[in-house]
């Protein structure tokens, strides 16, 4: 990075942070209809910010729910085009009483900025905009062509982005995808993510009697749906942490020796136990912690409910019971195939006296990019230059479904270069973003664009 760009970022840091505070002050919660106008406000804020940065052809493009913001700068003739993806919607803030400051009144403390969306993903989207601004304001031109695609529905599963990308393939056509919506593996451990797990999410409903029953009058004579549900769920794991659904692991791509070595070297079990206040970790037998998180599939019960949940005791046999479940998938598991295996397992293990209903939710394919791809190398070189240490090349345990979408539909290799940390409470109270990574991340992003010019031209 040139001294002029570095000086620009330094000289404008306080202005940029004030602008970021303005962005974070907008409660753009996509899941709650009462915030629909806030979503529109955030979209308008972004379009103005993109224009001020020097981008062109800015559009707020409507979908069936929340808009997608598009912008570009396409004057680098013969040079690669980088498509930058991010999202401006955020998670709900509950429980509000757990926040130490107002979630939409950003505060800076101990070189961290606290607000909903600070880390996931508004802070990092903002960095992309300021990356472009810094280069254009100092150099007058970008080293490569750039397109932005920023959506407002990521936190609700991106239901309309799939159709948007399918219908706008020419508009979004590019050479590489850049996403900053992943995390670093630790402090001062800059990370290039080359793999994400997929997802298969569903709900189970077990229906018993037509209505709740008095447990004294009917107890012992009818099946209790809550009992049946716990029995059914117990058939899905063994005591070695393995999923016991027939065929669940059949398509799983083995972990390479090099990746296994990396997982063993980076797994910090004692630190993780301390961070989570646990006396032991748990997972699939035979794999180090990071291998289980990054490269092995899971089946997790996310919620159980049924019967009386109020204060005190109500002696009933509930008429129904429910469970919410998500599976994280790895290459080469197909969500639809896993769903079929799950349905077969649930139907064949269903206890007597109840009826089963399954509601299918989010499905996303896993994603893997070869980490010797030139774009990945460009990211690694940029991170090393800014952080002064060798970057880590890693998979991540979470799912960013749109990455696979852009790869499949547009044929784009993906560079997942995020600057958040797992400890930053995204999706939880007191979300925050370390400003050290805001500063170094901006430098890394600038260097990445120049590196892409050299690596892909």
């Amino acid at each position: 990075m040139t001294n002029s760009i570095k000086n620009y970022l330094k000289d404008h840091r306080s202005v940029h942070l004030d602008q970021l505070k303005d962005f974070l002050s907008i409660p753009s919660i996509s899941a709650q209809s009462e915030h629909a106008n806030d979503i529109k406000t955030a979209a308008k804020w972004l379009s103005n910010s993109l224009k001020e940065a020097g981008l062109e052809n800015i559009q707020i493009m409507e979908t069936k729910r929340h808009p997608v913001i598009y912008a570009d700068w396409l004057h680098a003739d013969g040079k690669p085009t980088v498509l930058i993806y991010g999202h401006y919607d955020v998670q709900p803030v509950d429980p509000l009483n757990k926040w130490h400051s107002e979630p939409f009144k950003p505060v800076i403390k101990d070189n961290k900025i606290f607000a909903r969306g600070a880390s996931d993903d508004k802070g990092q989207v903002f960095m992309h905009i300021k990356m472009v601004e810094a280069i254009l304001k100092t150099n007058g031109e970008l080293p490569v062509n750039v397109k932005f695609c920023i959506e407002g529905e990521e936190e609700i599963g991106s239901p309309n982005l799939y159709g948007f990308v399918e219908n706008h393939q020419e508009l979004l056509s590019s050479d590489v995808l850049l996403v900053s919506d992943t995390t670093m593996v630790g402090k001062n451990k800059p990370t290039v993510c080359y793999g994400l797990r997929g997802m298969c999410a569903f709900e189970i409903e077990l229906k018993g009697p037509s209505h709740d029953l008095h447990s004294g009058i009917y107890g012992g004579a009818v099946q209790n749906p809550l009992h049946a549900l716990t029995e059914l769920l117990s058939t899905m794991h063994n005591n070695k942490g393995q999923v016991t659904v027939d065929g669940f692991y059949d398509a799983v791509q083995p972990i390479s020796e090099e990746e296994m070595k990396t997982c063993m070297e980076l797994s910090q079990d004692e630190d993780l136990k301390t961070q989570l206040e646990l006396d032991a970790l748990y997972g699939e037998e035979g794999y180090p912690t990071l291998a289980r998180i990054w490269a092995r599939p899971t089946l997790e019960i996310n919620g159980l409910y049924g019967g009386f949940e109020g204060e005190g005791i109500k002696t009933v046999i509930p008429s129904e019971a429910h469970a919410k479940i998500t599976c994280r998938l790895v290459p080469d598991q197909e969500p639809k195939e896993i769903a079929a295996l799950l349905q077969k397992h649930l139907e064949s293990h269903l206890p007597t006296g109840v009826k089963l209903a399954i509601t299918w939710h989010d499905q996303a394919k896993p994603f893997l990019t070869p980490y010797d791809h030139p774009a990945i190398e460009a990211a690694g070189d940029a991170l090393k230059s800014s952080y002064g240490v060798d970057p880590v090349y890693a998979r991540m345990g979470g799912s960013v479904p749109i990455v696979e979408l852009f790869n499949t539909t547009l044929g784009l290799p993906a560079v997942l270069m995020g600057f958040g940390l797992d400890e930053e409470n995204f999706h939880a109270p007191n979300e925050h973003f370390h400003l050290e990574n805001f500063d170094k991340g901006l430098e890394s992003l600038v260097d990445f664009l120049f590196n892409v010019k050299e690596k892909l031209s």
Side-chain angles (χ1 to χ4, degrees):
M1 176 170 33
T2 64
N3 286 333
S4 60
I5 298 175
K6 184 174 289 189
N7 289 336
Y8 181 90
L9 292 173
K10 181 179 178 181
D11 294 342
H12 289 79
R13 186 177 190 267
S14 60
V15 174
H16 290 166
L17 289 179
D18 285 341
Q19 293 171 343
L20 177 56
K21 286 181 180 180
D22 289 341
F23 190 25
L24 294 172
S25 297
I26 305 169
S28 51
I29 303 172
S30 55
Q32 298 175 338
S33 58
E34 61 264 33
H35 289 285
N37 286 334
D38 297 313
I39 286 283
K40 293 179 180 178
T41 299
K44 182 64 176 176
W45 191 97
L46 270 175
S47 67
N48 290 336
S49 183
L50 290 161
K51 182 178 181 180
E52 291 170 3
L55 287 145
E56 302 168 345
N57 302 312
I58 300 159
Q59 303 177 60
I60 299 177
M61 305 179 73
E62 297 297 332
T63 71
K64 292 180 180 179
R65 192 161 181 182
H66 301 316
V68 173
I69 293 88
Y70 173 85
D72 62 35
W73 188 94
L74 304 175
H75 302 291
D77 293 340
K79 302 302 180 185
T81 299
V82 177
L83 175 63
I84 298 172
Y85 165 84
H87 65 92
Y88 62 92
D89 63 320
V90 299
Q91 283 278 330
V93 298
D94 306 277
L96 189 59
N97 64 336
K98 297 292 185 181
W99 285 80
H100 301 321
S101 58
E102 293 290 330
F104 295 110
K105 292 183 179 179
V107 297
I108 294 176
K109 182 180 179 180
D110 300 327
N111 205 34
K112 306 169 189 173
I113 186 165
F114 288 80
R116 173 58 87 227
S119 180
D120 180 22
D121 184 39
K122 281 184 173 179
Q124 302 193 68
V125 166
F126 181 81
M127 290 165 64
H128 288 154
I129 298 172
K130 295 304 156 182
M131 161 193 70
V132 169
E133 176 187 301
I135 300 174
L136 286 176
K137 297 297 184 184
T138 54
N139 288 12
E141 61 180 9
L142 299 178
V144 295
N145 300 296
V146 167
K147 297 179 179 180
F148 278 79
C149 177
I150 310 174
E151 69 158 319
E153 298 182 346
E154 195 274 345
E155 299 293 5
I156 54 173
S158 303
N160 292 299
L161 190 66
Y162 292 82
F164 180 88
V165 173
E166 184 70 31
N167 293 331
H168 296 89
Q169 294 186 45
E170 184 175 351
L171 180 70
L172 300 174
S173 176
S174 303
D175 297 292
V176 63
L177 176 70
L178 172 63
V179 181
S180 295
D181 196 15
T182 51
T183 59
M184 298 163 53
V185 299
K187 292 181 179 179
N188 204 40
K189 292 182 178 178
T191 304
V192 181
C193 176
Y194 63 89
L196 296 163
R197 291 195 289 190
M199 180 181 287
C200 180
F202 61 103
E203 291 185 57
I204 297 171
E205 178 187 75
L206 296 189
K207 189 74 171 64
S210 59
H211 58 277
D212 290 357
L213 303 176
H214 189 296
S215 65
I217 297 175
Y218 293 96
V222 298
Q223 174 68 278
N224 184 318
L226 280 172
H227 295 183
L229 181 61
T230 56
E231 178 185 339
L232 179 59
L233 295 176
S234 72
T235 68
M236 303 184 84
H237 290 91
N238 61 22
N239 60 7
K240 296 181 179 180
Q242 298 165 329
V243 178
T244 51
V245 175
D246 285 345
F248 188 79
Y249 295 103
D250 285 358
V252 171
Q253 188 179 115
I255 306 172
S256 69
E257 291 185 11
E258 183 179 358
E259 285 183 303
M260 186 68 80
K261 181 182 178 182
T262 298
C263 291
M264 294 179 68
E265 290 174 348
L266 293 177
S267 292
Q268 302 289 332
D269 289 7
E270 293 304 316
D271 290 347
L272 185 57
K273 285 192 290 185
T274 299
Q275 175 189 337
L276 301 178
E277 299 181 10
L278 295 171
D279 57 9
L281 300 179
Y282 180 78
E284 186 182 0
E285 191 175 275
Y287 295 91
T289 299
L290 284 182
R292 298 198 303 259
I293 294 173
W294 292 350
R296 297 296 294 173
T298 63
L299 186 154
E300 300 285 356
I301 301 168
N302 308 126
L304 292 171
Y305 60 99
F308 179 66
E309 299 179 35
E311 183 179 357
I313 295 294
K314 183 180 181 183
T315 54
V316 296
I317 297 171
S319 65
E320 57 189 53
H322 305 259
K324 297 176 183 287
I325 298 174
T326 52
C327 296
R328 298 288 179 170
L329 309 180
V330 300
D332 293 305
Q333 290 179 306
E334 288 286 335
K336 290 183 179 179
E337 294 177 4
I338 293 299
L341 295 174
L342 292 165
Q343 180 154 347
K344 181 179 179 180
H345 178 95
L346 292 168
E347 290 174 347
S348 63
H349 290 79
L350 184 67
T352 58
V354 290
K355 297 177 182 178
L356 169 69
I358 304 173
T359 302
W360 299 101
H361 293 293
D362 295 350
Q363 293 192 359
K365 293 182 180 181
F367 178 80
L368 204 60
T369 291
Y371 52 86
D372 58 355
H373 191 282
I376 298 291
E377 294 177 0
D381 292 345
L383 290 170
K384 184 174 182 178
S385 176
S386 298
Y387 282 84
V389 297
D390 289 331
V392 176
Y393 296 87
R395 301 195 202 188
M396 293 291 171
S399 304
V400 186
I402 55 84
V403 173
E404 194 278 335
L405 165 68
F406 283 116
N407 178 258
T408 301
T409 305
L410 302 178
L412 299 184
V415 173
L416 308 176
M417 185 166 55
F419 302 97
L421 295 172
D422 287 342
E423 64 192 58
E424 289 177 338
N425 289 13
F426 36 85
H427 291 211
N430 305 307
E431 180 178 352
H432 57 279
F433 187 39
H434 285 68
L435 293 181
E436 175 186 6
N437 291 325
F438 176 84
D439 297 327
K440 292 182 178 179
L442 267 170
E443 293 181 7
S444 301
L445 290 168
V446 169
D447 282 339
F448 172 74
L449 288 193
F450 284 95
N451 291 350
V452 165
K453 174 186 175 182
E454 302 302 322
K455 296 281 187 180
L456 296 185
S457 293

